[in-house]
Amino acid sequence: MKNKQQWFLVMQSTERLKAVLLITSALVLLILVLSQSPITQPADFYQYADTRTRFGVPNFVNVISNLPFAIIGLLGIRLLSHTPKRQVVQVIEPNVAPAYFLFFQGLLATAIGSAYYHLTPTPFSLMLDRIPICLAFLSLYCIMLSEYIHPRLGQRLLFPLNLYGLLAVIYWYVQARTGDHSADLSAYVLVQLLPVLHVPMILFLYEEKRPGGGYYLAALISYGLAKLAEYLDSELFSLTGEWISGHSLKHLLAALSGWWIYLLLKKRLPQQ
């Protein structure tokens, strides 16, 4: 009996330490972002390497490369909608079930928002691009919190985090719409960086209760490559003989992140 009590105390202490690590890392990230505030967009943000018009569509490749987001979003929604009730628990964490739908709906909305933005690059269209990105990002983050840490943690944070993401983008837009080049992106940057910081930590610190750790890691790596491609927009455009730019490649790699999550949920379905 004494050994069981000691084991229980050790487990409690370990769980507290993991929670402290996650909370501390989030606070350090917050301090770092605030110390760099205001974080502003580069003056040439709206100037992309590939601006070619095709079939009467300006910035055609940057527009059409958003199509995979829509396809994966629709496939995910269809998969979740058609999963038999007796199998739902095997596929998703019931406590945070809306987050799975919100993730794929966010991908679908990203396709629309990003395509519209590249058709008419303005602060308003960029706002409509960034809001669904926040929705997808934060919904997936809440899914991982529930699947790995506690079933109700993601559920409790789903609404406040997505509300924060919405307000973060609107906060930037209210400043940017006046033409103010010092519009602050700090709040939005946190939306991007917190999940990127915590996902590998969660995968390392916590045992998976459902199969899928490798898929989450693959999604994170794909997203990291997407950001790298975005940074190398012009360089990749030149390197590929002006076939595809880094920004268009970013769309494809970011959509690949969503594809890994779709494959993960599909894998959890019992083989027929």
Side-chain angles (χ1 to χ4, degrees):
M1 183 70 177
K2 186 176 181 181
N3 288 337
K4 286 185 177 180
Q5 288 179 330
Q6 289 176 334
W7 178 84
F8 180 72
L9 290 173
V10 169
M11 290 298 294
Q12 273 192 322
S13 177
T14 302
E15 291 304 308
R16 287 196 194 98
L17 178 60
K18 292 176 183 177
V20 168
L21 286 173
L22 289 174
I23 293 170
T24 302
S25 63
L27 290 174
V28 169
L29 178 63
L30 175 62
I31 292 169
L32 287 174
V33 170
L34 289 177
S35 70
Q36 299 300 313
S37 180
I39 298 174
T40 60
Q41 288 180 171
D44 61 349
F45 182 85
Y46 296 99
Q47 298 171 17
Y48 298 100
D50 189 355
T51 58
R52 293 172 296 182
T53 296
R54 293 286 186 272
F55 311 107
V57 179
N59 307 310
F60 176 76
V61 181
N62 278 336
V63 171
I64 201 66
S65 57
N66 285 288
L67 184 59
F69 285 116
I71 294 171
I72 296 164
L74 289 170
L75 285 174
I77 293 168
R78 182 179 182 276
L79 175 68
L80 293 172
S81 300
H82 288 76
T83 299
K85 289 185 179 179
R86 66 181 182 281
Q87 296 175 354
V88 165
V89 176
Q90 296 170 272
V91 178
I92 64 175
E93 172 55 55
N95 288 285
V96 72
Y100 296 87
F101 282 96
L102 285 173
F103 172 73
F104 289 110
Q105 288 165 350
L107 292 183
L108 178 58
T110 295
I112 299 169
S114 183
Y116 174 56
Y117 163 65
H118 285 289
L119 280 170
T120 55
T122 65
F124 178 74
S125 59
L126 184 54
M127 177 186 69
L128 297 183
D129 179 10
R130 284 174 170 163
I131 287 173
I133 290 173
C134 288
L135 180 66
F137 238 76
L138 294 172
S139 296
L140 182 60
Y141 179 55
C142 288
I143 287 169
M144 290 200 67
L145 292 177
S146 283
E147 288 192 0
Y148 281 82
I149 300 177
H150 191 281
R152 293 196 179 277
L153 181 58
Q155 177 193 42
R156 290 169 180 164
L157 290 176
L158 183 62
F159 176 75
L161 283 181
N162 275 299
L163 178 61
Y164 169 84
L166 174 64
L167 294 177
V169 178
I170 293 175
Y171 169 73
W172 166 82
Y173 171 68
V174 167
Q175 299 174 63
R177 67 181 178 140
T178 62
D180 185 358
H181 293 296
S182 64
D184 190 8
L185 278 167
S186 301
Y188 175 71
V189 168
L190 277 172
V191 173
Q192 293 261 327
L193 292 184
L194 183 62
V196 169
L197 172 67
H198 274 178
V199 166
M201 291 181 67
I202 291 170
L203 292 175
F204 178 76
L205 293 172
Y206 293 88
E207 293 184 7
E208 60 181 33
K209 300 168 187 174
R210 299 168 179 271
Y215 289 87
Y216 285 124
L217 183 60
L220 179 64
I221 292 171
S222 297
Y223 187 75
L225 292 173
K227 298 303 288 183
L228 178 62
E230 179 182 37
Y231 179 73
L232 299 173
D233 185 28
S234 298
E235 291 82 354
L236 288 173
F237 192 49
S238 298
L239 190 63
T240 60
E242 299 190 353
W243 179 68
I244 189 169
S245 69
H247 196 85
S248 296
L249 189 58
K250 171 217 172 181
H251 291 161
L252 301 179
L253 288 167
L256 179 61
S257 293
W259 177 250
W260 287 117
I261 305 305
Y262 170 74
L263 290 181
L264 162 62
L265 298 185
K266 198 171 181 183
K267 176 183 172 64
R268 290 178 181 175
L269 285 169
Q271 298 299 314
Q272 301 298 325

